[in-house]
Amino acid sequence: PRYLRSGMGDGGSCHPRDNIALSFLANKVGMSFNYFDLIMQAREKHTEWLADLFIKEVTENKIPGIILGKSFKPGVDLQTGSAAILLANILKAKKIAFKHYEFDYPKLIPAVYFIATQHQQYTNIDFPPGSIVIDPFRYINDQNDVKVIRIGAL
């Protein structure tokens, strides 16, 4: 059930690292199908799709883009290789301007906010009116004059 929840790709730091190692081993021993490589491709495609949504909202609304979250998940300090960092790298490759914070964000301004790690502290943020919040985890409550995009919600 933990893998069937909404959110960013991967729930912890071991999953991508282990898939990369298992993919290498699958190639080395000549497996007929490299399932582990497919998992990593799906992770990247999903994150590219989320990046495109972020770019669309930033471009159409002509407001800055801000990513909140860098680590794999709450309670884990490790950031290297997280889906949040992957998202930031995709945006950098596409030459999209954005700011990226974990908890050290400055005074909030109207912007497109992308919640990249499901830190509970983010539920307490009063986003400025005119902001757009992209919430893959579907846990940010409605706020006046703030558009909340809950990924996967009907």
Side-chain angles (χ1 to χ4, degrees):
R2 289 184 177 206
Y3 286 101
L4 298 177
R5 293 184 187 160
S6 60
M8 297 291 287
D10 306 310
S13 56
C14 297
H15 194 241
R17 181 187 65 213
D18 291 350
N19 280 324
I20 291 167
L22 289 167
S23 176
F24 173 81
L25 183 60
N27 288 334
K28 185 175 181 177
V29 300
M31 288 180 64
S32 62
F33 184 78
N34 188 337
Y35 176 75
F36 309 104
D37 187 53
L38 185 65
I39 291 170
M40 296 309 291
Q41 287 180 39
R43 174 188 191 251
E44 289 187 19
K45 290 294 183 190
H46 179 247
T47 308
E48 287 173 8
W49 178 78
L50 292 170
D52 288 343
L53 175 61
F54 182 80
I55 292 166
K56 175 183 171 281
E57 293 298 329
V58 166
T59 303
E60 287 181 2
N61 294 285
K62 297 178 177 51
I63 54 178
I66 298 173
I67 300 173
L68 295 176
K70 293 182 178 183
S71 61
F72 276 93
K73 62 182 179 180
V76 174
D77 292 336
L78 187 62
Q79 299 175 3
T80 304
S82 71
I85 298 299
L86 175 60
L87 174 65
N89 288 337
I90 291 169
L91 293 171
K92 286 176 190 172
K94 294 184 178 208
K95 300 190 183 333
I96 301 300
F98 65 95
K99 301 285 186 187
H100 195 179
Y101 305 100
E102 185 88 330
F103 302 118
D104 58 340
Y105 49 86
K107 183 176 186 290
L108 300 178
I109 60 171
V112 176
Y113 291 90
F114 190 104
I115 308 295
T117 307
Q118 193 178 9
H119 292 300
Q120 199 58 39
Q121 295 94 315
Y122 296 158
T123 63
N124 299 324
I125 295 174
D126 289 324
F127 293 97
S131 293
I132 298 166
V133 179
I134 300 174
D135 177 14
F137 305 98
R138 301 190 309 233
Y139 77 132
I140 301 296
N141 292 322
D142 287 335
Q143 297 180 23
N144 288 333
D145 299 318
V146 174
K147 177 181 175 184
V148 180
I149 302 171
R150 295 177 183 93
I151 306 299
L154 299 175

